Amino acid sequence: MSRSGEKIGPDLTNEYMRNRSKQWLIAQITNSKAHYPNSVMPNYTMLSTEQLGNLAEYLNSAHPEGTKTSTDSLSTVASANTKISADSLVDYTKMKLQKLGAPEEAASIIGNVVVGRKLFVNNCASCHGVDGKGGEPNYGSKFGVVPALNPVNNALFNKEPQQFADNIDKFIQHGSVPNGSNPALKMFDYGDSYSLTQPQIANIEAFILRLNHVNRAQIESPNSAKMFFYIASILYLVLMLLLIFFWHKAKRINMS
C-alpha cells in the first residue's frame, strides 16, 4: 500500500506538513481511535518500538511524488507469496475451520444485504477492502496478506447458503489468529466479544454471500421451521380426532 492512500485509506503523502509529533503518530498507529473515534483502521500493536519510531519518522518526512515506497515493495512481495501459496490456502482454511467453534445464532438468521454492506464497511473493510477483494498486507503471517472475501476461499464457499453461512460465521463469531511468526493483523471475535449483535453479524454474512452470488434469503429460518412443525402436528392431531369421532359414529349407526 502506498502512502498516497488506497481504497478507504487517507492520503498520507503530505503528513509531514501537519506538524504531527512522533508520539501523536505512534499513538494513532497503535490505537486508531485515539484521535479519531470512528476510525476503522486496525491497531498495529505487533510492531516493535523501533519499528514504530521508524514508521513515525517516515510519515513525518517529505516524500517525492511517484517514488515507490518500501511498503509498496513489501505489498508486492506479499502478493507474490500469496500466489505461490494459493494451492495450500484451501487446506489451511479447512484446518482453521475444524479448530473453530460451532456456528452461532446469526448463521440461521436471514440478514439484510443493504444493512450488511454498511456494517461491513465499518467493521471489515479496513482489512478486507470495501469490495471484499482482500490483499491488504499482513506482515508476519503465513501468507503475507489478508484473505479475500470476494471471491471467498473455496474452503468456505458453498452453493448451499446455509453451509456457506455456517462456514463464515465461525470466523466472525470466534475470530482467528493467522499462522506465522508474528502476524500484524488477526480476525477479531465479533461474536464472542459481543462487539456485534447476532442480527448484525447475520447482516454482514448476507452481504458476503451476495458478493459471492449466493442468495441469503434461501436460508429457512429455524423459527419458521418450528412454527410449521407445530401447525402440522396440530392439524394431524385434529384430523386423527375427527377420524376417530366419525369412525365411532359410523359404528353406532351400523349397530343400530
Side-chain angles (χ1 to χ4, degrees):
M1 182 186 297
S2 68
R3 192 161 67 166
S4 59
E6 295 178 6
K7 298 180 180 177
I8 63 172
D11 187 345
L12 301 178
T13 305
N14 297 315
E15 188 68 18
Y16 70 99
M17 299 177 65
R18 299 176 183 271
N19 297 317
R20 310 285 199 197
S21 69
K22 185 176 180 179
Q23 290 72 24
W24 190 99
L25 289 169
I26 291 176
Q28 183 62 32
I29 294 167
T30 55
N31 178 13
S32 68
K33 299 185 185 298
H35 306 109
Y36 304 104
N38 295 324
S39 172
V40 295
M41 169 184 154
N43 298 327
Y44 290 89
T45 56
M46 300 294 187
L47 298 177
S48 66
T49 302
E50 181 181 1
Q51 289 173 323
L52 288 169
N54 291 338
L55 182 55
E57 290 178 4
Y58 172 73
L59 291 172
N60 264 336
S61 64
H63 182 67
E65 186 176 354
T67 302
K68 192 173 183 63
T69 66
S70 59
T71 46
D72 285 324
S73 302
L74 286 171
S75 181
T76 301
V77 172
S79 298
N81 287 340
T82 302
K83 292 178 181 178
I84 294 172
S85 307
D87 292 340
S88 61
L89 183 58
V90 172
D91 292 335
Y92 169 79
T93 306
K94 287 181 179 178
M95 177 194 69
K96 284 287 185 179
L97 270 175
Q98 293 175 353
K99 293 183 177 181
L100 291 172
E104 300 294 340
E105 179 186 357
S108 298
I109 299 175
I110 300 177
N112 184 297
V113 174
V114 176
V115 177
R117 186 184 189 283
K118 295 178 181 178
L119 289 167
F120 185 91
V121 169
N122 291 335
N123 296 277
C124 315
S126 59
C127 292
H128 291 284
V130 175
D131 55 1
K133 294 294 185 180
E136 297 296 327
N138 189 6
Y139 309 118
S141 66
K142 179 181 177 70
F143 293 96
V145 294
V146 177
L149 297 175
N150 178 24
V152 75
N153 186 290
N154 285 337
L156 300 175
F157 178 81
N158 199 297
K159 291 182 179 180
E160 294 297 327
Q162 185 62 71
Q163 185 58 57
F164 192 168
D166 286 348
N167 290 341
I168 60 176
D169 185 74
K170 293 181 180 181
F171 282 93
I172 299 175
Q173 298 283 356
H174 311 301
S176 178
V177 179
N179 287 3
S181 58
N182 192 20
L185 302 173
K186 66 177 182 178
M187 178 66 197
F188 193 64
D189 56 340
Y190 289 100
D192 294 345
S193 65
Y194 300 100
S195 298
L196 293 174
T197 65
Q198 294 301 307
Q200 286 176 324
I201 293 175
N203 291 334
I204 292 176
E205 291 169 0
F207 176 66
I208 296 174
L209 264 67
R210 174 64 62 84
L211 288 176
N212 291 273
H213 310 291
V214 175
N215 186 4
R216 174 74 171 187
Q218 292 177 358
I219 295 179
E220 183 179 9
S221 170
N223 292 330
S224 298
K226 289 180 181 178
M227 183 63 67
F228 175 80
F229 174 77
Y230 291 146
I231 293 175
S233 298
I234 292 173
L235 289 175
Y236 177 79
L237 180 60
V238 170
L239 178 62
M240 291 300 296
L241 291 174
L242 287 174
L243 287 174
I244 293 173
F245 171 78
F246 285 115
W247 180 77
H248 280 292
K249 185 175 182 180
K251 186 178 180 181
R252 286 198 297 270
I253 293 175
N254 291 333
M255 292 178 65
S256 61

